[in-house]
Amino acid sequence: MLTPLKFQSLFKYRIWGGNKLKTVLNKDYNGDSIGESWEISDVPNDETIVEDGSFKGYTLKQLIQEFKGEFLGESVYKQFGEAFPLLIKFIDAKTPLSIQVHPNNEYAKTHHNSFGKNEMWYIMQADEEANIIVGFEKEIDKTQFKEHLEDKTLLEVMHHENVKKGDAFYIPTGRIHAIGAGVMLAEIQQTSDVTYRVYDYDRVDKTTGKTRELHTEQATEVLDFNVEERYKTDYQKETNTSNTLIHSPYFKTNFLPVKGELVKDYSNTDSFVIYMCVSGQAIIQHQQKDYNLNAGETILLPASIKEVMLKSEDAQILEVYF
C-alpha cells in the first residue's frame, strides 16, 4: 500500500547560493554556497530517493514504473507516462541570480528534448529591501534588447519589485526574471533544467575560475517582450481552506493555512498531491499513522491516498497537484 512519502533532498552548489537552507530551514548538508534544495525531482541523473518507510531507497522513477496511475493519478499517467511532470525546490539567493528566461514546451522539446519551464515562486523570507526582477518595465523590441545587453544597461528596463514573506509570482515561459539577493523561496516548476542566461554581472565562478556561459541568442528567440500591469499574484488566506494561489495548465498550487484539525478529501482529485511546508509545522495523519512536516520539508501523497487529516497549531502549506 502506498503511503505519504518524503524524499531525500538534493543540495546544489550555486555561485549565488548562501546558507539559509541550513540556518533557517534546518537542512543537513556540508559545503558552502548551497543555493537549491531539490525536494522532488525526476530530472535525469538527479532523481530523488525515498527517505524512509517501506519504500526507502526507491527513486521517484521506480515508484512511477511500479505503480503508474495509482501513484501519479490515471489522467496524469495517461498524459506523461513515466515522466514526473514537476520539480519542487527551495531556493536561497545570497546574491542575485542571473537575468534569465526559460523556453516553452515546443522550443524545449525541439532543442533539448525536455519539457519547457513554467514556474512559480512563493517568498518564504526576504531581507529588508530585497527584490526580484520579473518582466520588463517598459516596452522594448529585440533590437533594443540586444543594445541594452551590449552596453550593460539591461537592468534599467527590467521590472524590479521589493518582496516580503507570502508574496507569490507566476513566471510563465518567455518572461525574463531573476531572484534578487537576500530572498529565500519555494519554487514549483515543470520538470526541466533548461535556463537561458542573458546577463550574469560578469561574475567569476570560484569552482571554475571562469564566467558562466550566456545564451543570448536562444533567449532572444523565446523572450516575451510584453509588459504587464502587475506581476504579483493576489490570493486569499482563509484558514483551513485550500485558497487558490496559482492554477496553470502545468500545475495547480493552493495556499493552505492550518490551525487545529482539518480533513482533506481527495476523492475527486485524480493526481498526486504535494505538501510544501513554508511556515510552522504540521502532522499529516493517514491510516492511523502520523507523518511530521516541518517548515522547509516536503511530502508527497500518491494519488491512491484519498483522505488525510492535517493537525497543526499554526502552519502554512503549499498544496500542489496536477
Side-chain angles (χ1 to χ4, degrees):
M1 182 185 293
L2 284 165
T3 62
L5 298 165
K6 282 186 179 179
F7 293 81
Q8 294 176 15
S9 302
L10 297 173
F11 300 110
K12 301 290 185 177
Y13 163 82
R14 296 291 185 257
I15 191 173
W16 40 261
N19 62 3
K20 287 180 185 173
L21 298 178
K22 178 180 286 187
T23 60
V24 179
L25 298 187
N26 298 308
K27 297 290 185 182
D28 183 17
Y29 58 81
N30 296 313
D32 298 319
S33 301
I34 299 300
E36 301 188 3
S37 173
W38 290 21
E39 299 291 296
I40 299 177
S41 168
D42 189 38
V43 173
N45 302 314
D46 275 315
E47 296 96 346
T48 44
I49 295 170
V50 177
E51 191 171 73
D52 53 25
S54 54
F55 296 101
K56 181 178 180 178
Y58 273 61
T59 65
L60 185 58
K61 181 72 77 186
Q62 287 171 326
L63 288 166
I64 296 169
Q65 289 171 338
E66 182 164 337
F67 294 100
K68 301 178 170 58
E70 189 181 346
F71 181 80
L72 288 176
E74 296 299 339
S75 61
V76 181
Y77 184 71
K78 186 175 180 180
Q79 184 172 352
F80 295 101
E82 292 177 355
F84 193 75
L86 301 182
L87 173 57
I88 305 296
K89 302 176 180 177
F90 294 112
I91 295 179
D92 167 30
K94 183 177 181 179
T95 58
L97 274 69
S98 62
I99 311 297
Q100 58 188 245
V101 67
H102 306 302
N104 64 22
N105 280 343
E106 292 73 27
Y107 193 95
K109 178 68 175 175
T110 301
H111 293 83
H112 307 281
N113 194 31
S114 168
F115 291 123
K117 193 174 175 184
N118 290 271
E119 63 188 22
M120 66 155 283
W121 297 337
Y122 175 90
I123 310 299
M124 295 174 67
Q125 186 272 336
D127 296 349
E128 193 172 348
E129 300 301 314
N131 65 40
I132 62 166
I133 291 171
V134 54
F136 290 100
E137 186 66 28
K138 64 178 185 179
E139 292 274 359
I140 62 171
D141 58 25
K142 286 186 179 181
T143 301
Q144 292 169 312
F145 175 72
K146 289 181 177 179
E147 289 171 353
H148 282 294
L149 276 179
E150 288 169 7
D151 60 20
K152 299 188 188 301
T153 56
L154 186 63
L155 292 172
E156 295 175 11
V157 294
M158 302 286 91
H159 174 72
H160 295 71
E161 185 153 342
N162 286 358
V163 293
K164 64 184 186 305
K165 179 181 177 180
D167 287 349
F169 298 84
Y170 182 53
I171 315 289
T173 56
R175 181 168 294 171
I176 200 162
H177 62 278
I179 302 169
V183 177
M184 184 178 70
L185 56 79
E187 181 175 88
I188 296 145
Q189 59 160 94
Q190 289 178 273
T191 296
S192 168
D193 202 25
V194 180
T195 294
Y196 298 149
R197 296 188 204 99
V198 298
Y199 182 63
D200 197 32
Y201 307 92
D202 300 318
R203 288 183 287 200
V204 173
D205 189 331
K206 66 184 180 184
T207 64
T208 65
K210 300 177 182 178
T211 57
R212 296 194 296 171
E213 183 182 3
L214 300 179
H215 316 89
T216 51
E217 290 304 317
Q218 299 102 312
T220 305
E221 288 184 2
V222 304
L223 267 171
D224 177 2
F225 289 97
N226 289 324
V227 175
E228 301 292 333
E229 283 187 22
R230 184 174 175 82
Y231 290 99
K232 188 163 69 173
T233 299
D234 293 322
Y235 62 99
Q236 300 297 313
K237 299 180 180 180
E238 187 177 340
T239 301
N240 292 341
T241 298
S242 292
N243 301 276
T244 298
L245 181 51
I246 290 168
H247 284 197
S248 78
Y250 310 100
F251 52 80
K252 296 179 177 66
T253 303
N254 298 324
F255 181 72
L256 178 57
V258 180
K259 285 189 179 182
E261 296 184 350
L262 172 66
V263 174
K264 289 295 299 179
D265 180 352
Y266 293 111
S267 55
N268 293 321
T269 303
D270 186 18
S271 169
F272 60 88
V273 176
I274 294 167
Y275 290 152
M276 299 182 80
C277 187
V278 292
S279 179
Q281 54 189 34
I283 292 171
I284 294 129
Q285 193 173 76
H286 174 66
Q287 304 283 19
Q288 280 75 55
K289 186 172 180 182
D290 289 348
Y291 301 83
N292 293 317
L293 187 66
N294 299 314
E297 291 185 335
T298 302
I299 197 164
L300 183 148
L301 308 180
S304 59
I305 293 178
K306 295 305 181 185
E307 185 176 289
V308 294
M309 178 181 281
L310 302 177
K311 300 179 179 180
S312 178
E313 291 182 8
D314 188 9
Q316 296 178 341
I317 293 169
L318 301 184
E319 178 187 40
V320 185
Y321 53 100
F322 206 84

